Amino acid sequence: MLDMEVVWNLQYWLKMSSPSKRREMDVMKLMMSDYNVETINDGLNEFNVKFHGPKESLYEGGVWKIRVELPDAYPFKSPSIGFVNKIFHPNVDELSGSVCLDVINQSWSPMFDLLNIFEVFLPQLLLYPNPSDPLNGDAASLMMKDRKQYDQKVKEYCERYAKKEDITKSAADKETDDEDDITDEDTGSSDDEIAGHADP
């Protein structure tokens, strides 16, 4: 019988033997763990992952498409992670979806893998937002000033942007939907108004 330390060292050596093998192994491990992974351009450097909000959080029930880009030096260099559909969170840029997460941006280690991101790092980010290091200043400010209103806005975003059908729509479709949501009341016009004035 093999000693567990020997097994761990062997697994570590296999993981680290080549960045391309490690990339393949990590992506396959993610796929085998029941995550829905869609590759982009038939490669393993860019892909989207379907991510569910953690249980017992404001984001529970929400579904997001997470864009992952692996650099050539992965796992020695951290992946780029971003939300494709909108989320209201102090540490996620509302427009780009970029994530401000110390463990990914500054303290990444080759010992981490893609499963760590989806099973630990992202759930922790959603469970414990850090308003003192924001990418979304509005979310951070609201969270610190009025927690009840912040919680309500998070839930509204989940309802509006984080449903299963939202991750299957293209970005262009979603922008069209957002434009359609603007009502006459919002624009201050009505069907009764005339577009111009008739010449006398």
Side-chain angles (χ1 to χ4, degrees):
M1 181 153 63
L2 286 176
D3 182 9
M4 287 308 290
E5 185 176 340
V6 171
V7 170
W8 186 87
N9 286 334
L10 181 60
Q11 287 175 335
Y12 179 77
W13 180 82
L14 288 171
K15 267 186 166 183
M16 306 308 275
S17 62
S18 128
S20 64
K21 287 188 190 304
R22 170 69 188 270
R23 179 182 299 111
E24 290 172 17
M25 185 177 80
D26 282 3
V27 173
M28 288 303 161
K29 206 159 109 178
L30 193 62
M31 290 175 167
M32 301 280 288
S33 297
D34 294 329
Y35 284 95
N36 183 338
V37 178
E38 299 172 354
T39 58
I40 298 171
N41 300 326
D42 297 325
L44 296 180
N45 286 349
E46 291 181 69
F47 50 91
N48 294 318
V49 178
K50 184 172 157 185
F51 175 73
H52 294 268
K55 291 184 189 314
E56 299 179 20
S57 77
L58 295 172
Y59 301 93
E60 183 174 10
V63 183
W64 288 270
K65 184 185 285 189
I66 307 293
R67 173 83 175 241
V68 179
E69 294 181 32
L70 300 179
D72 291 338
Y74 176 86
F76 303 103
K77 189 168 185 244
S78 66
S80 175
I81 305 295
F83 285 79
V84 175
N85 45 328
K86 286 186 179 185
I87 184 169
F88 192 73
H89 190 285
N91 310 113
V92 180
D93 185 273
E94 188 173 0
L95 297 176
S96 71
S98 296
V99 174
C100 179
L101 187 58
D102 187 47
V103 75
I104 293 175
N105 297 330
Q106 284 125 16
S107 58
W108 177 262
S109 161
M111 291 299 296
F112 300 138
D113 64 17
L114 296 172
L115 272 178
N116 292 127
I117 292 171
F118 290 96
E119 293 185 352
V120 179
F121 304 152
L122 285 179
Q124 291 293 311
L125 178 74
L126 297 187
L127 286 164
Y128 307 106
N130 179 6
S132 62
D133 186 20
L135 277 179
N136 182 337
D138 292 340
S141 177
L142 188 60
M143 182 181 183
M144 291 189 288
K145 290 179 182 173
D146 188 344
R147 185 61 191 241
K148 188 175 180 181
Q149 192 175 355
Y150 167 82
D151 292 355
Q152 181 180 345
K153 189 149 188 177
V154 166
K155 290 176 184 177
E156 286 172 11
Y157 267 59
C158 288
E159 279 296 316
R160 189 167 182 183
Y161 302 110
K163 293 297 175 197
K164 189 175 183 178
E165 57 271 11
D166 293 318
I167 64 169
T168 57
K169 287 183 178 182
S170 71
D173 290 342
K174 193 65 186 155
E175 284 177 19
T176 302
D177 287 351
D178 288 346
E179 289 169 9
D180 290 344
D181 288 340
I182 297 174
T183 63
D184 289 337
E185 185 178 301
D186 294 336
T187 60
S189 66
S190 73
D191 292 338
D192 297 335
E193 293 179 9
I194 300 173
H197 297 287
D199 290 332

